[in-house]
Amino acid sequence: MSTMDTNFALDMEREERRAAGCPWRRYFARYFDFALYGLLWSLAAQWGLRLNIGGLYAMLNVLSIMVGVVLMVVIEPFLLHFWGTTPGKWLFGMEIRTPNGEKLAIRTGFYRTWQVFTGGMGWDLPIWGWYRLYKSYQASTAGELPWDIDNGCHIVVHERKTKWYRVLMFLFAWLLVLAADRIEELKNA
């Protein structure tokens, strides 16, 4: 192995260790992305299908969550393949790469996203989801996340500490998502 390959491998190990200590970044990035997918569905349902998802219909709310999950599983692999990040990960200065620094293949991104949803988010079910989030937090602090290990990828963190401007960008973007969703609910009320 050449000196350059050894240095690259050591840099990747350092980046991976740094990422392991960022479970809250990963959590907020994931749920920001999930909120964006939900917003996309909400806009499409309200503008295109004329459904009032914000109503009191429990089945429409369940359908909304299910469609948000489908959008996450379909869209996220393409984001990871072409840009190496998602909007939430970008806000927190993270990328997902293969061990040799390349962006993920679409198939790998799909499998990783599916494993994050089923194992990390616990299918977004109330009690099981909370348990899986706790177990994911423990695995992240230990540096072993199964969906990253199984798919041969890792999170690259560009900053050791979260910068203040990234927190402000996240809060501003989150408020925009919430405001857009609330405006759509008020229009259809």
Side-chain angles (χ1 to χ4, degrees):
M1 192 190 262
S2 71
T3 306
M4 186 174 180
D5 291 339
T6 305
N7 288 340
F8 181 78
L10 290 173
D11 286 344
M12 290 313 228
E13 284 180 31
R14 269 189 239 116
E15 293 290 344
E16 196 169 336
R17 268 189 248 118
R18 284 192 354 203
C22 304
W24 291 108
R25 280 190 198 187
R26 294 176 75 142
Y27 172 81
F28 286 120
R30 166 68 49 204
Y31 278 93
F32 178 77
D33 290 338
F34 198 56
L36 280 179
Y37 302 133
L39 178 63
L40 285 174
W41 160 244
S42 178
L43 293 174
Q46 291 175 7
W47 287 350
L49 303 175
R50 302 288 184 213
L51 291 175
N52 183 7
I53 292 178
L56 299 176
Y57 308 109
M59 287 309 294
L60 280 179
N61 288 329
V62 171
L63 175 68
S64 180
I65 291 170
M66 290 171 39
V67 171
V69 168
V70 169
L71 287 174
M72 177 180 77
V73 171
V74 170
I75 294 172
E76 189 164 307
F78 288 95
L79 293 173
L80 296 176
H81 177 72
F82 291 109
W83 290 283
T85 191
T86 63
K89 287 175 187 59
W90 176 80
L91 280 172
F92 284 97
M94 298 183 294
E95 292 181 341
I96 299 178
R97 299 292 180 178
T98 63
N100 57 357
E102 296 175 353
K103 297 172 191 158
L104 299 184
I106 292 173
R107 179 180 292 210
T108 305
F110 171 78
Y111 288 129
R112 182 188 181 280
T113 303
W114 182 251
Q115 285 180 307
V116 167
F117 175 66
T118 58
M121 296 172 64
W123 296 83
D124 207 29
L125 297 172
I127 295 170
W128 179 246
W130 300 331
Y131 172 74
R132 290 307 312 156
L133 287 172
Y134 174 72
K135 296 305 278 183
S136 297
Y137 174 80
Q138 287 181 324
S140 180
T141 55
E144 304 169 0
L145 288 167
W147 46 87
D148 290 338
I149 293 169
D150 291 350
N151 293 295
C153 56
H154 62 275
I155 299 281
V156 176
V157 178
H158 296 291
E159 300 160 342
R160 194 172 294 277
K161 293 185 177 182
T162 303
K163 305 286 186 191
W164 64 269
Y165 62 87
R166 289 199 183 274
V167 173
L168 287 178
M169 286 188 333
F170 170 75
L171 291 174
F172 181 70
W174 188 259
L175 286 174
L176 286 177
V177 168
L178 291 177
D181 195 41
R182 185 67 182 141
I183 288 169
E184 287 305 310
E185 285 180 18
L186 291 174
K187 278 183 181 179
N188 293 318

